Amino acid sequence: QVQLVESGGGLVQAGGSLRLSCAKSGRTFSSYFMGWFRQAPGKEREFVAAISSSGAITSYADFMKGRFTISRDNAKNTVYLQMNSLEPGDTAVYYCAMRLPPSSRYEYWGQGTQVTVSS
């Protein structure tokens, strides 16, 4: 069993920054990808960013325009999402998730953390 716990969400003004964290515990794996997703009210969940096991490979959704950075600290079993220049449109519940290669399906999910950006 795997547990993912997000933290770091909150209320911030437009133009501000937040850093989300996702701590993994439970079963260990030699290789796993971590991803961040978000879901705004009334909208479908969307991909935000992902990072490979070593951190060498990252991918981002186009909408971020270089504002977000995903990283991980394997010694701490934690993945981060640094979010800068936040906009009201970034308001959503942010989820971290884990997938085991070669599967493309994210199998494990956290409970989410709320990010609210005021204008």
Side-chain angles (χ1 to χ4, degrees), residues 14 38 40 43 46 63 67-68 86-92 94 115 117-118:
R38 70 184 188 182
K43 295 186 178 181
E46 62 179 350
F63 67 77
R67 299 181 295 123
F68 295 1
L86 284 163
E87 305 167 352
D90 296 318
T91 295
Y94 284 72
V115 171
V117 184
S118 63

Side-chain angles (χ1 to χ4, degrees), residues 22-45:
C22 173
K24 171 188 167 297
S25 63
R27 188 176 173 187
T28 59
F29 300 91
S30 59
S31 176
Y32 58 95
F33 275 62
M34 295 296 297
W36 285 97
F37 294 77
R38 70 184 188 182
Q39 187 166 21
K43 295 186 178 181
E44 293 187 354
R45 185 172 59 198

